[in-house]
Protein backbone atom coordinates (compact mmCIF):
# COMPACT_ATOMS: atom_id res chain seq x y z
CA UNK A 1 0.00 0.00 0.00
CA UNK A 2 1.21 3.47 -0.85
CA UNK A 3 0.56 6.52 1.33
CA UNK A 4 0.41 10.28 0.96
CA UNK A 5 1.05 13.14 3.37
CA UNK A 6 -1.70 15.59 4.27
CA UNK A 7 -0.55 18.60 6.27
CA UNK A 8 -1.93 18.50 9.80
CA UNK A 9 -3.06 14.87 9.77
CA UNK A 10 -0.14 13.67 11.88
CA UNK A 11 -0.10 10.28 10.15
CA UNK A 12 0.43 9.12 6.59
CA UNK A 13 -2.80 8.46 4.69
CA UNK A 14 -3.30 5.26 2.68
CA UNK A 15 -4.01 5.71 -1.04
CA UNK A 16 -7.08 3.51 -0.63
CA UNK A 17 -9.62 4.82 1.88
CA UNK A 18 -12.28 2.46 3.20
CA UNK A 19 -15.87 3.63 2.81
CA UNK A 20 -18.29 2.93 5.67
CA UNK A 21 -21.66 4.18 4.46
CA UNK A 22 -23.08 0.68 4.90
CA UNK A 23 -21.91 0.18 8.50
CA UNK A 24 -24.91 -0.60 10.73
CA UNK A 25 -25.23 -2.31 14.10
CA UNK A 26 -27.18 -5.24 12.70
CA UNK A 27 -24.28 -6.06 10.35
CA UNK A 28 -21.44 -5.35 12.76
CA UNK A 29 -19.54 -8.57 12.03
CA UNK A 30 -19.50 -7.81 8.31
CA UNK A 31 -18.11 -4.32 8.98
CA UNK A 32 -15.47 -5.66 11.38
CA UNK A 33 -14.41 -8.36 8.93
CA UNK A 34 -14.13 -5.80 6.14
CA UNK A 35 -12.00 -3.51 8.31
CA UNK A 36 -9.72 -6.35 9.39
CA UNK A 37 -9.15 -7.27 5.74
CA UNK A 38 -8.50 -3.63 4.82
CA UNK A 39 -5.87 -3.25 7.53
CA UNK A 40 -4.30 -6.53 6.42
CA UNK A 41 -3.48 -5.11 2.97
CA UNK A 42 -1.91 -1.99 4.52
CA UNK A 43 -4.89 0.34 4.50
CA UNK A 44 -5.21 2.66 7.49
CA UNK A 45 -7.67 5.41 6.52
CA UNK A 46 -11.43 5.14 6.95
CA UNK A 47 -14.09 7.51 5.61
CA UNK A 48 -17.28 8.17 7.54
CA UNK A 49 -19.66 11.06 8.19
CA UNK A 50 -22.07 12.44 10.76
CA UNK A 51 -25.05 11.58 8.53
CA UNK A 52 -24.04 8.08 7.39
CA UNK A 53 -26.61 5.47 8.38
CA UNK A 54 -28.16 7.88 10.85
CA UNK A 55 -24.97 7.89 12.93
CA UNK A 56 -24.51 4.12 12.97
CA UNK A 57 -21.48 4.27 10.65
CA UNK A 58 -19.46 6.25 13.20
CA UNK A 59 -20.81 4.19 16.10
CA UNK A 60 -19.83 0.89 14.46
CA UNK A 61 -16.37 2.23 13.68
CA UNK A 62 -16.00 3.42 17.27
CA UNK A 63 -17.01 0.01 18.61
CA UNK A 64 -14.60 -1.72 16.25
CA UNK A 65 -11.62 0.42 17.29
CA UNK A 66 -12.43 -0.07 20.98
CA UNK A 67 -12.79 -3.84 20.66
CA UNK A 68 -9.64 -4.22 18.57
CA UNK A 69 -7.67 -1.66 20.56
CA UNK A 70 -6.30 -0.24 17.31
CA UNK A 71 -7.30 3.44 17.36
CA UNK A 72 -3.64 4.47 17.07
CA UNK A 73 -3.31 2.52 13.80
CA UNK A 74 -6.25 4.29 12.18
CA UNK A 75 -6.64 7.55 10.31
CA UNK A 76 -10.23 8.74 10.62
CA UNK A 77 -11.84 11.01 8.05
CA UNK A 78 -15.26 12.17 9.12
CA UNK A 79 -17.49 14.90 7.76
CA UNK A 80 -20.07 17.27 9.19
CA UNK A 81 -22.28 20.30 8.54
CA UNK A 82 -24.37 18.52 5.92
CA UNK A 83 -27.62 20.20 4.92
CA UNK A 84 -30.85 18.96 6.52
CA UNK A 85 -34.53 19.27 5.65
CA UNK A 86 -34.43 22.93 6.65
CA UNK A 87 -31.54 23.82 4.35
CA UNK A 88 -27.80 24.56 4.64
CA UNK A 89 -26.03 24.10 7.98
CA UNK A 90 -22.51 25.31 7.19
CA UNK A 91 -22.06 27.43 10.29
CA UNK A 92 -20.08 27.44 13.53
CA UNK A 93 -22.82 25.88 15.69
CA UNK A 94 -23.53 23.03 13.26
CA UNK A 95 -19.82 22.28 12.98
CA UNK A 96 -19.45 22.23 16.77
CA UNK A 97 -22.55 20.10 17.30
CA UNK A 98 -21.74 17.57 14.57
CA UNK A 99 -18.10 17.25 15.63
CA UNK A 100 -19.12 16.68 19.25
CA UNK A 101 -21.53 13.94 18.18
CA UNK A 102 -18.95 12.34 15.90
CA UNK A 103 -16.23 12.16 18.53
CA UNK A 104 -18.65 10.60 21.03
CA UNK A 105 -19.82 8.00 18.52
CA UNK A 106 -16.26 7.22 17.44
CA UNK A 107 -15.15 6.92 21.08
CA UNK A 108 -12.14 9.13 20.48
CA UNK A 109 -11.04 12.64 21.41
CA UNK A 110 -9.84 13.64 17.95
CA UNK A 111 -9.95 12.85 14.26
CA UNK A 112 -7.00 13.15 11.90
CA UNK A 113 -9.08 14.48 9.00
CA UNK A 114 -12.27 16.56 9.20
CA UNK A 115 -14.20 17.76 6.18
CA UNK A 116 -17.24 19.91 5.65
CA UNK A 117 -19.69 17.65 3.83
CA UNK A 118 -21.26 20.46 1.80
CA UNK A 119 -20.72 24.16 1.12
CA UNK A 120 -22.96 27.17 1.56
CA UNK A 121 -21.60 29.93 -0.68
CA UNK A 122 -23.69 32.46 1.26
CA UNK A 123 -21.47 31.98 4.32
CA UNK A 124 -18.18 33.89 4.20
CA UNK A 125 -15.08 31.70 4.27
CA UNK A 126 -13.84 33.79 7.22
CA UNK A 127 -16.66 32.52 9.43
CA UNK A 128 -16.07 28.91 8.44
CA UNK A 129 -12.29 28.92 8.84
CA UNK A 130 -12.35 30.71 12.16
CA UNK A 131 -14.79 28.11 13.51
CA UNK A 132 -12.72 25.18 12.23
CA UNK A 133 -9.47 26.64 13.56
CA UNK A 134 -10.88 26.71 17.09
CA UNK A 135 -11.29 22.94 16.91
CA UNK A 136 -7.79 22.51 15.49
CA UNK A 137 -6.43 24.54 18.41
CA UNK A 138 -8.37 22.39 20.88
CA UNK A 139 -6.79 19.25 19.42
CA UNK A 140 -10.08 17.74 18.23
CA UNK A 141 -9.14 18.03 14.55
CA UNK A 142 -5.84 17.48 12.76
CA UNK A 143 -6.30 18.52 9.13
CA UNK A 144 -9.34 20.29 7.72
CA UNK A 145 -10.72 19.77 4.25
CA UNK A 146 -13.85 20.18 2.18
CA UNK A 147 -16.05 17.64 0.46
CA UNK A 148 -18.04 19.00 -2.49
CA UNK A 149 -16.52 22.47 -2.57
CA UNK A 150 -15.55 24.10 -5.85
CA UNK A 151 -11.91 24.87 -6.42
CA UNK A 152 -12.77 28.59 -6.47
CA UNK A 153 -14.15 28.46 -2.92
CA UNK A 154 -11.18 26.40 -1.78
CA UNK A 155 -8.82 28.98 -3.23
CA UNK A 156 -10.72 31.81 -1.59
CA UNK A 157 -10.68 30.03 1.76
CA UNK A 158 -6.98 29.26 1.67
CA UNK A 159 -6.12 32.81 0.62
CA UNK A 160 -8.05 34.09 3.63
CA UNK A 161 -6.32 31.60 5.93
CA UNK A 162 -2.87 32.55 4.64
CA UNK A 163 -3.51 36.27 5.16
CA UNK A 164 -4.96 35.87 8.66
CA UNK A 165 -2.59 33.38 10.27
CA UNK A 166 -5.08 30.51 10.18
CA UNK A 167 -4.83 26.87 9.11
CA UNK A 168 -6.36 26.40 5.68
CA UNK A 169 -7.81 23.41 3.90
CA UNK A 170 -5.14 20.80 3.22
CA UNK A 171 -7.30 18.36 1.25
CA UNK A 172 -10.41 18.30 -0.90
CA UNK A 173 -12.86 15.46 -1.45
CA UNK A 174 -14.99 15.80 -4.59
CA UNK A 175 -16.01 13.02 -6.96
CA UNK A 176 -13.25 12.11 -9.39
CA UNK A 177 -13.57 9.15 -11.72
CA UNK A 178 -12.77 8.19 -15.28
CA UNK A 179 -16.50 8.40 -16.03
CA UNK A 180 -17.58 12.05 -16.11
CA UNK A 181 -20.81 13.03 -14.38
CA UNK A 182 -23.58 14.48 -16.52
CA UNK A 183 -25.08 16.12 -13.45
CA UNK A 184 -24.53 15.98 -9.66
CA UNK A 185 -25.29 12.76 -7.83
CA UNK A 186 -27.18 14.73 -5.20
CA UNK A 187 -27.82 18.44 -4.75
CA UNK A 188 -24.65 20.25 -3.75
CA UNK A 189 -22.27 17.53 -4.91
CA UNK A 190 -19.18 18.45 -6.89
CA UNK A 191 -17.37 16.36 -9.52
CA UNK A 192 -13.86 17.31 -10.55
CA UNK A 193 -13.77 18.80 -14.05
CA UNK A 194 -10.77 19.82 -16.15
CA UNK A 195 -10.45 23.18 -14.38
CA UNK A 196 -10.51 21.46 -10.99
CA UNK A 197 -7.79 19.02 -12.04
CA UNK A 198 -5.66 21.87 -13.39
CA UNK A 199 -6.04 23.73 -10.08
CA UNK A 200 -5.01 20.66 -8.09
CA UNK A 201 -2.02 20.18 -10.36
CA UNK A 202 -1.03 23.80 -9.80
CA UNK A 203 -1.50 23.75 -6.01
CA UNK A 204 -0.67 20.07 -5.36
CA UNK A 205 -3.52 19.97 -2.86
CA UNK A 206 -4.39 16.31 -2.16
CA UNK A 207 -7.70 15.08 -3.58
CA UNK A 208 -9.60 12.24 -1.88
CA UNK A 209 -12.09 10.99 -4.44
CA UNK A 210 -15.50 9.60 -3.57
CA UNK A 211 -17.24 7.30 -6.08
CA UNK A 212 -13.75 6.78 -7.48
CA UNK A 213 -14.92 3.79 -9.54
CA UNK A 214 -18.08 5.49 -10.78
CA UNK A 215 -20.45 3.33 -8.74
CA UNK A 216 -19.71 0.22 -10.76
CA UNK A 217 -19.89 1.75 -14.25
CA UNK A 218 -16.68 -0.05 -15.25
CA UNK A 219 -17.59 -3.50 -13.91
CA UNK A 220 -19.01 -4.74 -17.23
CA UNK A 221 -22.54 -4.98 -15.84
CA UNK A 222 -23.75 -1.93 -17.76
CA UNK A 223 -24.34 -1.19 -21.44
CA UNK A 224 -26.36 1.52 -23.20
CA UNK A 225 -29.27 -0.93 -23.33
CA UNK A 226 -29.17 -1.84 -19.60
CA UNK A 227 -31.12 0.96 -17.94
CA UNK A 228 -32.35 -0.56 -14.68
CA UNK A 229 -30.18 1.69 -12.49
CA UNK A 230 -31.83 5.09 -12.84
CA UNK A 231 -29.12 7.00 -10.96
CA UNK A 232 -26.32 5.50 -13.04
CA UNK A 233 -28.24 6.28 -16.25
CA UNK A 234 -28.83 9.85 -15.11
CA UNK A 235 -25.28 10.55 -13.98
CA UNK A 236 -22.98 8.46 -16.18
CA UNK A 237 -24.71 7.33 -19.37
CA UNK A 238 -23.21 9.34 -22.21
CA UNK A 239 -21.43 8.70 -25.50
CA UNK A 240 -18.19 10.00 -24.01
CA UNK A 241 -18.32 7.63 -21.08
CA UNK A 242 -19.08 4.61 -23.27
CA UNK A 243 -15.97 5.47 -25.25
CA UNK A 244 -13.95 5.86 -22.04
CA UNK A 245 -15.22 2.43 -20.99
CA UNK A 246 -14.17 0.95 -24.33
CA UNK A 247 -10.70 2.49 -24.18
CA UNK A 248 -10.19 1.45 -20.56
CA UNK A 249 -11.09 -2.10 -21.57
CA UNK A 250 -8.59 -2.06 -24.42
CA UNK A 251 -5.86 -0.76 -22.12
CA UNK A 252 -6.79 -3.33 -19.48
CA UNK A 253 -6.41 -6.14 -21.99
CA UNK A 254 -2.95 -4.94 -22.94
CA UNK A 255 -1.91 -4.82 -19.28
CA UNK A 256 -3.59 -8.13 -18.42
CA UNK A 257 -5.80 -6.56 -15.81
CA UNK A 258 -9.47 -5.54 -15.57
CA UNK A 259 -11.32 -2.50 -16.80
CA UNK A 260 -12.43 -1.43 -13.33
CA UNK A 261 -8.83 -1.65 -12.11
CA UNK A 262 -7.78 0.69 -14.92
CA UNK A 263 -10.54 3.08 -13.81
CA UNK A 264 -9.14 3.03 -10.27
CA UNK A 265 -5.60 3.47 -11.56
CA UNK A 266 -6.77 6.56 -13.47
CA UNK A 267 -7.70 8.23 -10.17
CA UNK A 268 -4.45 7.23 -8.47
CA UNK A 269 -2.11 8.28 -11.29
CA UNK A 270 -2.94 11.97 -11.49
CA UNK A 271 -0.26 14.67 -11.47
CA UNK A 272 -1.00 15.58 -7.85
CA UNK A 273 -1.55 13.53 -4.66
CA UNK A 274 -4.75 11.48 -4.74
CA UNK A 275 -6.52 8.83 -2.72
CA UNK A 276 -9.54 6.78 -3.73
CA UNK A 277 -12.48 6.08 -1.44
CA UNK A 278 -13.54 2.51 -2.13
CA UNK A 279 -16.77 0.67 -1.37
CA UNK A 280 -15.37 -2.87 -1.31
CA UNK A 281 -17.62 -5.09 0.82
CA UNK A 282 -15.97 -8.48 0.33
CA UNK A 283 -12.53 -9.99 -0.10
CA UNK A 284 -12.69 -10.21 -3.89
CA UNK A 285 -13.63 -6.55 -4.27
CA UNK A 286 -10.95 -5.50 -1.80
CA UNK A 287 -8.22 -7.48 -3.55
CA UNK A 288 -9.31 -6.02 -6.89
CA UNK A 289 -8.89 -2.52 -5.46
CA UNK A 290 -5.52 -3.42 -3.96
CA UNK A 291 -4.29 -4.73 -7.32
CA UNK A 292 -5.71 -1.71 -9.14
CA UNK A 293 -3.89 0.65 -6.79
CA UNK A 294 -0.58 -0.86 -7.89
CA UNK A 295 -1.07 -0.18 -11.62
CA UNK A 296 1.04 2.61 -13.09
CA UNK A 297 -0.40 4.66 -15.95
CA UNK A 298 1.68 7.21 -17.82
CA UNK A 299 0.39 10.59 -18.98
CA UNK A 300 -0.10 9.31 -22.53
CA UNK A 301 -2.34 6.48 -21.32
CA UNK A 302 -4.32 8.74 -18.99
CA UNK A 303 -4.94 11.31 -21.74
CA UNK A 304 -6.10 8.64 -24.18
CA UNK A 305 -8.58 6.85 -21.91
CA UNK A 306 -9.91 10.23 -20.75
CA UNK A 307 -10.53 11.32 -24.38
CA UNK A 308 -8.04 14.17 -24.03
CA UNK A 309 -5.96 12.66 -26.84
CA UNK A 310 -6.71 10.60 -29.95
CA UNK A 311 -3.12 9.34 -30.07
CA UNK A 312 -3.01 5.72 -29.00
CA UNK A 313 -0.47 5.03 -26.27
CA UNK A 314 2.72 3.28 -27.29
CA UNK A 315 1.76 0.47 -24.89
CA UNK A 316 -1.13 -0.56 -27.18
Amino acid sequence: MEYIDIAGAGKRVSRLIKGTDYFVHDAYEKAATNLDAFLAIGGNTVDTAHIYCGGQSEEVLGRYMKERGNRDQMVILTKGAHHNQHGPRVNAEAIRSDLTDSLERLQTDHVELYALHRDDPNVPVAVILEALNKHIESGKIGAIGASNWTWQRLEEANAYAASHGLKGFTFSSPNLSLAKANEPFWAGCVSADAETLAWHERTQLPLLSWSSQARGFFTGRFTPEVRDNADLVRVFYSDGNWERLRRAGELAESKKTTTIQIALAYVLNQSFPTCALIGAQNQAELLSCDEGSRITLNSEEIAWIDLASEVKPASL
Side-chain angles (χ1 to χ4, degrees), residues 1-229:
M1 181 72 65
E2 293 183 345
Y3 305 84
I4 68 167
D5 293 311
I6 294 179
K11 298 175 185 174
R12 304 209 76 193
V13 175
S14 56
R15 300 291 305 281
L16 296 179
I17 298 177
K18 182 75 185 74
T20 67
D21 60 353
Y22 63 96
F23 281 18
V24 293
H25 296 299
D26 287 347
Y28 174 76
E29 291 305 326
K30 175 182 177 180
T33 298
N34 287 175
L35 286 169
D36 286 342
F38 179 65
L39 293 175
I41 65 167
N44 71 346
T45 306
V46 181
D47 168 74
T48 185
H50 184 266
I51 67 163
Y52 285 174
C53 304
Q56 291 186 69
S57 171
E58 291 178 323
E59 290 170 348
V60 166
L61 179 56
R63 174 184 169 186
Y64 170 82
M65 292 187 296
K66 183 178 181 180
E67 290 186 357
R68 296 294 194 272
N70 63 2
R71 171 66 183 94
D72 289 345
Q73 299 174 37
M74 310 285 283
V75 174
I76 301 174
L77 162 59
T78 197
K79 305 178 289 293
H82 196 284
H83 304 349
N84 63 16
Q85 67 272 26
H86 304 298
R89 300 175 57 253
V90 187
N91 57 65
E93 175 54 26
I95 293 169
R96 184 205 63 77
S97 176
D98 286 4
L99 177 60
T100 300
D101 286 347
S102 292
L103 294 177
E104 182 177 344
R105 294 168 179 169
L106 291 162
Q107 302 187 53
T108 188
D109 60 0
H110 74 286
V111 291
E112 287 78 12
L113 306 171
Y114 192 79
L116 299 178
H117 212 158
R118 291 287 192 275
D119 189 15
D120 181 359
N122 293 316
V123 179
V125 294
V127 173
I128 296 168
L129 283 170
E130 286 164 8
L132 287 169
N133 270 257
K134 288 180 181 178
H135 299 299
I136 293 174
E137 291 166 7
S138 73
K140 294 177 181 178
I141 295 173
I144 54 173
S147 181
N148 299 299
W149 277 42
T150 65
W151 70 265
Q152 293 93 337
R153 277 278 280 181
L154 289 166
E155 186 165 75
E156 179 187 0
N158 281 355
Y160 179 87
S163 63
H164 288 79
L166 297 173
K167 301 287 188 182
F169 293 129
T170 55
F171 68 95
S172 178
S173 185
N175 162 243
L176 169 62
S177 69
L178 179 57
K180 307 309 172 189
N182 301 319
E183 60 181 77
F185 285 87
W186 304 281
C189 286
V190 172
S191 290
D193 58 13
E195 281 191 4
T196 302
L197 298 184
W199 182 79
H200 276 276
E201 182 174 17
R202 185 167 68 250
T203 62
Q204 291 296 299
L205 190 83
L207 186 155
L208 317 183
S209 169
W210 56 265
S211 284
S212 56
Q213 293 171 297
R215 301 176 72 82
F217 182 80
F218 294 94
T219 59
R221 296 197 301 267
F222 302 100
T223 68
E225 295 73 34
V226 176
R227 307 182 70 85
D228 56 350
N229 186 320

Side-chain angles (χ1 to χ4, degrees), residues 4 15-17 174-180 192 197 206-214 218 259-278 292-293 295 297 302 305-306:
I4 68 167
R15 300 291 305 281
L16 296 179
I17 298 177
N175 162 243
L176 169 62
S177 69
L178 179 57
K180 307 309 172 189
L197 298 184
L207 186 155
L208 317 183
S209 169
W210 56 265
S211 284
S212 56
Q213 293 171 297
F218 294 94
T259 304
I260 197 165
Q261 288 172 329
I262 292 294
L264 181 62
Y266 166 84
V267 171
L268 295 175
N269 280 271
Q270 296 294 317
S271 55
F272 49 86
T274 57
C275 296
L277 277 60
I278 58 171
S293 73
I295 296 171
L297 300 181
I302 289 174
I305 61 173
D306 201 16

Side-chain angles (χ1 to χ4, degrees), residues 291-309:
E291 291 168 3
S293 73
R294 301 172 191 275
I295 296 171
T296 299
L297 300 181
N298 60 40
S299 58
E300 184 183 42
E301 291 166 334
I302 289 174
W304 184 71
I305 61 173
D306 201 16
L307 311 189
S309 170

